Amino acid sequence: MAAGRATDGTGPARFRERFLQGETVERGVRTSILDSWRRCRSLGLSPDQSDLPFRDDFDLDGPLVRAAVPVLDRLQSTFSGSEINISVADARGTVLLRRFGETSQVGSLPAIQRVPGFVFAERFAGTNGIGLALAERQLIRVYGAEHFAERAQRNACVALPVRDLLSGRIEGVLCFGYPRSFETSALADVIGRAAGAVERRLLGQSSARERALLRAYLATGVDAAVDPHAAVRPPRGIALDEPVLELRPRDQAVLMENAAELISRAQRAAVDVRLPDGRRITLVSRPMTSAAGVEGFAVEAVLPGLPSESPDIPQQADELRGVAAERAVGVAVPRLSAAPPRRLVPEAAPVRGVGAVDGKGLTDDGTDGATGDPFEPPPSARGLVLVGEPHVGAYALAARRRLELLSEASVRIGTTLEVRRTAEELAETAVPRLADFVTVDLPEAVLRGEESADPLSDLRRTVVHGIRDGLPFTAVGKRIDFGPTAPQLRCLTTGDAVLEPDLTVSAGWLAQDPEHTGGLLAHVHSLIAVPLVARGVVLGIASFYRAQDPAPFGDDDRSLAQELASRAALSIDNARRYTHERTMVLALQRRLLPHGLPDQEAVEVAHRYLPAEFDVGGDWYDVIPLSGARIGLLVGDVVGHGMLSAATMGRLRTAARTFAELDLPPDEVLTHLDNLVGRMDREDSEGEGVGIIGATCLYVVYDPTSQRCVMARAGHPPPALVCPDGSVSYPDLPAGPPLGLGGLPFDAVEIGIPEDSQLVLYTDGLIEDRHRDVDVVLDQLRGALAHHPERTPEDTCQAILDTVAPAHPCDDIALLVARTHALDPGRIATWELPAGPAVVGEVRALALRQLADWGLEETAFAVELILSELVTNAIRHGSGPIRVRLLHDRTLICEVSDTSNTAPHLRRAASTDEGGRGLFLVAQLSQTWGTRYLSEGKVIWAECALDGA
């Protein structure tokens, strides 16, 4: 919402009154103002409060005052004659300086508006320019009734934090106050340039200190800087850019990195540095003090093999003026682990016979740091690398480690496509190098791979990670409810990271759950809440807590946390999208697979489908009842993953089932599937070249009346056969080409299978793995199946998955286990009869006697008519002898076979036709009927229900 003035009881004034009366105000007030009002109410502030704390212990000669005075003098001259007042406050909100455009009006102002020392922090003064700029840490405008206190209703102000350009830390606030009628957009530009001038002057003070240290080193030599009583001699050494060193830029960078690290440690030490080319150089850090009292450190290089007379440090060394400071400008305040720098020798630890001291203690040989200095290198082998103050070196070190952290984050975050694991990787990356504890809260919908319509309504604690366990954070899996002023809610509202440097005074954080937050305050003291947003989708909230480091989080920490969270959010969104797509593909895959097994007596079947860990593929299985009490077992695999493979699998399974139900032999079924896959490739209108060539299939037909099995495969792994004696074999079955190549034949093999054997059909995901050899896996499968013939198919499936399947399958696994049964010979009746009209009556008589023996007299009428019509058709249209077979299974199956290949067709006979009604009667009296072709002749069959239908 655009900011506007509050006049005549309209705008913010009206909303402020509603807010103070306890009404809910969500629109019409800027977010930052409304958040501040809520914090003021949580703190128990009163709008009528007029007294503010006064401090008289502020430093009138501090760095901020010295940097700001000339700038404020110029601003006073610029605004001379106006009603603008200018103030500078420190980081605690204490006003240090005041200037007025119209000095004659100063006497009419209350003391809190004209006398330095009053504290305008938000927790004391409510919503105001200085306090809100410190709370929001950015440019702030406050108009009239947007102020929380009544006394400031007729004024407006604009305020901007002033930062230390080296550390990024807020040093204070520059604020312009003025009547509401004076408002102009140009003030934002003026205050921005003025704050920038103060910041540059602060940086200049730091650079001057670095130059003073370098001058002290050049003028007196490091010996005198360390020990005033030492003999003064000019330093001799080599500058880093001298060609005699032959240091490449990479070598120089290594030395500078280690030198900055030594300075940041603020201790006397020596370190051996191995350059990329294998050379070793020793760096020695020494304390020194300039004439003006600036305390710092100088780092020298001990260069082995230098000539006895090394040239002096060049005069242009003055231009170095604190290399560390120059390199660290604009770098963030460090929040890094307290671990010692790499290759840094601990205090009082020997280094190649050289001791390290802290400047006050003793070396390892008992001498002090000023006399008998064991660090003293020969004069001819000494070269200056870097001078600086410890805090400047710390900033340079922090900058490097921040870059390292971001580089590491790009590698560590997003290694998987799993939402929860990606959130854990964010926390593991940030602890302990940025924060001591990290919590991640994600909506339940995001964990499922969906977009959350209302992220705050279903937030769940997803990750809690830190330097130790046992803190009273909300447990993983619990629902999270953040209060309206909580930093986590504010970060979602604004879309930016919210920094709470001091949780003890964070009213919004404390108010959400006083008991819970009170327990946490004993362990943590600073917080950064960052929204996880990617591609416009709100994914959750990451909260970074500091506990061990006494320094609070700063703005640079907030920027780093925001960057880490942004990278993690993209990875989480990728994982969410993948989870969503995988869920859809898996749902489609499971929908296209069989939902139940058909009722039949030929085999006892169990099955499993295990999707790949990451990508769902196109594996399928099927169990197809066939004529003559036979059963078809089908397993296939479409190469590839994703929606296309799942959809292709559905088409192939439907086609394979259709071809199988036509009673085609296995090799012909595969031939038809091969042609279908080729057509699907040719009809691909996308032209993407993805193709589906590579689909494989195994088709097995088992006949329980003969215990014979016919099988054929198209590039698919062979089945495993477990005999009743516990032996396991892989039938010698021609592999055949994968489906879609076209033009190549498929061969079928017929073998005998004893009753109670087990057939194990599977896809290649079970045995093919990049980390395992196929032959070894087949041996493992043989071992898992051997000597367990008594196991049920369900137990066999589970045993295979437990012992053979990979722990993290890269491909789908379809598994089908069938225990074979044999149809009792007493339930099979077969007659071989010559073709002739008299055979029809003989067949009826034989069938009636057999039905009486089976106790199926109620089916006699239907069976008589069916056999009469089928035998009559065989005599009339066929040739050779006639074979009649009755099978007493779940249904009564009538089969009539002859040597003719003529196919009967059902048709509707006209009233004048003499024939054509026989098959119509067969279709009406039976549940189903059909024709099965043999190598010579055909079989016409019909099934009758056993309930007398």
Side-chain angles (χ1 to χ4, degrees):
M1 174 187 173
R5 303 183 183 89
T7 57
D8 303 326
T10 62
R14 175 167 52 89
F15 291 109
R16 177 176 173 275
E17 292 303 320
R18 290 173 50 191
F19 177 84
L20 293 177
Q21 292 173 9
E23 298 183 28
T24 300
V25 177
E26 296 295 341
R27 303 182 62 183
V29 181
R30 290 182 291 154
T31 301
S32 60
I33 300 298
L34 183 57
D35 288 341
S36 179
W37 287 355
R38 288 169 174 167
R39 292 193 295 268
C40 294
R41 182 166 58 187
S42 299
L43 290 167
L45 297 180
S46 169
D48 300 323
Q49 180 179 343
S50 58
D51 296 331
L52 294 179
F54 180 80
R55 302 174 59 94
D56 57 4
D57 57 348
F58 58 89
D59 188 0
L60 288 176
D61 193 34
L64 180 59
V65 173
R66 293 198 306 270
V69 165
V71 178
L72 263 62
D73 290 342
R74 289 197 300 271
L75 288 173
Q76 184 176 24
S77 175
T78 300
F79 292 113
S80 177
S82 70
E83 296 183 63
I84 284 185
N85 66 84
I86 308 157
S87 57
V88 171
D90 63 16
R92 297 182 296 180
T94 304
V95 175
L96 306 178
L97 296 170
R98 284 196 177 275
R99 296 289 190 274
F100 300 91
E102 181 57 63
T103 57
S104 61
Q105 297 181 355
V106 174
S108 61
L109 296 176
I112 60 172
Q113 295 185 19
R114 57 183 173 82
V115 178
F118 286 96
V119 182
F120 281 82
E122 187 182 64
R123 64 179 182 272
F124 301 121
T127 308
N128 69 93
I130 293 175
L132 194 52
L134 289 173
E136 297 290 332
R137 311 179 76 84
Q138 61 183 342
L139 177 69
I140 287 295
R141 292 176 180 269
V142 183
Y143 303 88
E146 291 181 334
H147 289 86
F148 190 76
E150 294 285 354
R151 64 174 182 274
Q153 297 296 296
R154 289 180 291 182
N155 299 322
C157 63
V158 57
L160 180 64
V162 175
R163 302 175 185 272
D164 182 340
L165 292 179
L166 284 177
S167 66
R169 183 178 60 246
I170 291 179
E171 295 292 338
V173 176
L174 178 62
C175 180
F176 294 171
Y178 47 87
R180 290 182 307 194
S181 59
F182 191 81
E183 172 60 30
T184 172
S185 59
L187 287 178
D189 179 62
V190 174
I191 198 171
R193 288 188 282 112
V198 176
E199 291 171 344
R200 288 192 297 274
R201 290 181 60 82
L202 283 172
L203 178 63
Q205 294 180 35
S206 176
S207 300
R209 297 168 67 88
E210 299 292 331
R211 289 195 299 270
L213 287 174
L214 184 57
R215 282 195 297 269
Y217 180 89
L218 295 174
T220 63
V222 69
D223 298 63
V226 174
D227 183 4
H229 302 289
V232 177
R233 55 181 173 80
R236 305 179 66 83
I238 290 294
L240 288 178
D241 56 355
E242 283 295 294
V244 68
L245 283 179
E246 298 180 355
L247 291 179
R248 292 171 297 182
R250 184 173 56 172
D251 299 331
Q252 297 183 24
V254 171
L255 288 181
M256 294 297 292
E257 172 185 325
N258 283 271
E261 193 165 354
L262 282 172
I263 292 176
S264 70
R265 298 299 296 172
Q267 66 181 39
R268 296 170 57 85
V271 57
D272 275 345
V273 178
R274 183 179 295 277
L275 299 180
D277 60 5
R279 287 187 294 171
R280 295 165 63 95
I281 294 180
T282 300
L283 294 181
V284 179
S285 65
R286 303 171 177 273
M288 56 183 301
T289 304
S290 72
V294 178
E295 296 182 353
F297 277 78
V299 178
E300 294 180 308
V302 177
L303 310 173
L306 283 182
S308 58
E309 290 297 331
S310 300
D312 293 342
I313 296 177
Q315 293 300 318
Q316 65 266 28
D318 268 335
E319 298 176 5
L320 291 174
R321 51 184 200 168
V323 179
E326 295 289 340
R327 290 175 176 264
V329 171
V331 174
V333 177
R335 163 59 188 124
L336 305 164
S337 64
R342 292 177 298 171
R343 302 180 299 278
L344 185 63
V345 182
E347 294 183 1
V351 183
R352 297 165 51 212
V354 179
V357 299
D358 60 2
K360 296 181 180 179
L362 298 177
T363 65
D364 55 358
D365 62 359
T367 61
D368 61 31
T371 60
D373 191 351
F375 284 117
E376 183 65 33
S380 61
R382 188 177 69 223
L384 176 65
V385 178
L386 200 62
V387 296
E389 295 180 274
H391 71 277
V392 177
Y395 300 151
L397 179 63
R400 176 171 58 82
R401 291 186 174 173
R402 287 172 186 279
L403 291 176
E404 290 175 352
L405 179 58
L406 291 177
S407 176
E408 181 181 339
S410 64
V411 176
R412 292 187 58 180
I413 300 177
T415 59
T416 69
L417 287 172
E418 201 277 320
V419 174
R420 193 181 304 274
R421 178 57 193 151
T422 305
E424 291 173 352
E425 290 170 343
L426 167 62
E428 292 168 359
T429 302
V431 174
R433 299 172 67 180
L434 173 63
D436 296 314
F437 298 93
V438 175
T439 63
V440 180
D441 307 312
L442 302 179
E444 189 70 29
V446 172
L447 294 173
R448 296 194 305 266
E450 305 168 4
E451 292 187 17
S452 178
D454 185 6
L456 291 177
S457 65
D458 62 345
L459 273 178
R460 298 281 175 177
R461 178 57 48 85
T462 306
V463 176
V464 176
H465 181 70
I467 56 177
R468 61 179 181 273
D469 299 327
L471 267 67
F473 287 107
T474 302
V476 172
K478 297 293 184 179
R479 178 171 175 156
I480 300 293
D481 290 313
F482 292 113
T485 60
Q488 288 84 352
L489 179 60
R490 289 161 51 201
C491 80
L492 277 186
T493 303
T494 61
D496 297 319
V498 173
L499 169 62
E500 291 290 348
D502 187 357
L503 290 177
T504 60
V505 297
S506 176
W509 184 76
L510 293 170
Q512 58 179 324
D513 186 351
E515 182 178 355
H516 175 67
T517 54
L520 274 178
L521 276 180
H523 306 279
V524 298
H525 62 81
S526 193
L527 164 68
I528 300 175
V530 189
L532 297 173
V533 181
R535 303 181 181 98
V537 178
V538 177
L539 303 171
I541 302 169
S543 301
F544 301 83
Y545 293 89
R546 178 167 290 179
Q548 285 189 330
D549 192 335
F553 282 125
D555 287 295
D556 295 308
D557 297 303
R558 176 173 60 178
S559 300
L560 181 58
Q562 181 95 50
E563 179 65 23
L564 286 177
S566 297
R567 298 189 183 197
L570 286 174
S571 297
I572 291 174
D573 191 50
N574 290 338
R576 180 195 65 82
R577 289 167 176 256
Y578 166 77
T579 302
H580 180 66
E581 180 179 348
R582 185 176 187 274
T583 301
M584 291 193 301
V585 174
L586 186 58
L588 175 63
Q589 174 86 336
R590 294 192 182 279
R591 183 66 180 171
L592 294 175
L593 290 173
H595 293 281
L597 297 177
D599 294 331
Q600 45 81 35
E601 297 290 345
V603 291
E604 179 187 353
V605 180
H607 57 86
R608 293 288 190 278
Y609 170 72
L610 185 65
E613 187 172 43
F614 295 110
D615 295 317
V616 179
D619 292 16
W620 88 91
Y621 60 88
D622 211 344
V623 179
I624 308 170
L626 302 175
S627 64
R630 298 172 304 143
I631 196 73
L633 305 175
L634 192 65
V635 171
D637 179 12
V638 176
V639 176
H641 300 88
M643 191 72 72
L644 176 62
S645 295
T648 303
M649 177 275 290
R651 297 175 67 182
L652 288 184
R653 175 179 171 255
T654 302
R657 189 178 185 92
T658 301
F659 296 144
E661 289 178 344
L662 291 175
D663 271 327
L664 298 177
D667 53 335
E668 292 189 27
V669 170
L670 295 183
T671 299
H672 285 291
L673 287 177
D674 182 56
N675 295 332
L676 174 63
V677 172
R679 287 197 303 272
M680 292 167 66
D681 257 348
R682 292 190 296 272
E683 293 171 0
D684 182 13
S685 60
E686 298 296 329
E688 297 176 354
V690 176
I692 52 176
I693 295 178
T696 64
C697 185
L698 170 64
Y699 183 34
V700 177
V701 176
Y702 172 69
D703 188 347
T705 64
S706 62
Q707 291 92 60
R708 303 291 293 177
C709 188
V710 182
M711 57 184 72
R713 61 180 177 137
H716 201 86
L721 175 61
V722 185
C723 293
D725 60 1
S727 62
V728 180
S729 63
Y730 297 101
D732 186 10
L733 181 63
L739 299 177
L741 294 183
L744 298 175
F746 298 95
D747 298 322
V749 172
E750 183 175 354
I751 60 175
I753 297 181
E755 185 179 6
D756 287 331
S757 298
Q758 288 193 11
L759 274 170
V760 180
L761 287 71
Y762 51 87
T763 55
D764 57 5
L766 179 68
I767 62 173
E768 293 184 2
D769 183 34
R770 69 186 67 177
H771 305 295
R772 303 185 297 174
D773 183 81
V774 173
D775 293 334
V776 174
V777 178
L778 289 176
D779 288 340
Q780 291 178 351
L781 178 60
R782 186 191 303 270
L785 296 174
H787 311 300
H788 297 285
E790 74 286 351
R791 278 193 306 213
T792 65
E794 285 289 342
D795 293 338
T796 300
C797 279
Q798 195 59 47
I800 292 173
L801 293 182
D802 292 341
T803 60
V804 182
H808 304 284
C810 299
D811 196 6
D812 292 18
I813 297 175
L815 181 62
L816 193 64
V817 177
R819 181 190 294 277
T820 61
H821 298 308
L823 188 61
D824 185 355
R827 292 191 168 201
I828 304 174
T830 305
W831 302 284
E832 295 277 353
L833 301 170
V839 172
V840 177
E842 185 180 352
V843 168
R844 286 200 298 265
L846 293 171
L848 288 176
R849 285 196 298 270
Q850 186 63 58
L851 292 176
D853 292 342
W854 287 342
L856 301 178
E857 292 87 350
E858 69 276 7
T859 64
F861 176 75
V863 171
E864 277 190 284
L865 288 178
I866 289 173
L867 288 177
S868 296
E869 293 299 332
L870 294 182
V871 172
T872 300
N873 280 338
I875 295 172
R876 179 176 297 178
H877 303 291
S879 61
I882 296 173
R883 184 171 182 266
V884 178
R885 187 170 71 160
L886 294 181
L887 302 177
H888 181 195
D889 195 32
R890 287 177 175 268
T891 60
L892 184 65
I893 304 172
C894 306
E895 294 183 346
V896 176
S897 59
D898 58 53
T899 58
S900 171
N901 290 324
T902 303
H905 297 284
L906 180 66
R907 66 185 180 89
R908 185 180 299 276
S911 59
T912 57
D913 291 343
E914 294 184 1
R917 297 176 178 84
L919 286 181
F920 182 78
L921 288 176
V922 171
Q924 295 300 311
L925 293 172
S926 64
Q927 285 184 331
T928 182
W929 71 279
T931 302
R932 180 171 74 252
Y933 291 93
L934 306 175
S935 57
E936 293 182 1
K938 65 180 181 297
V939 176
I940 304 176
W941 56 269
E943 291 187 11
C944 294
L946 297 181
D947 57 0

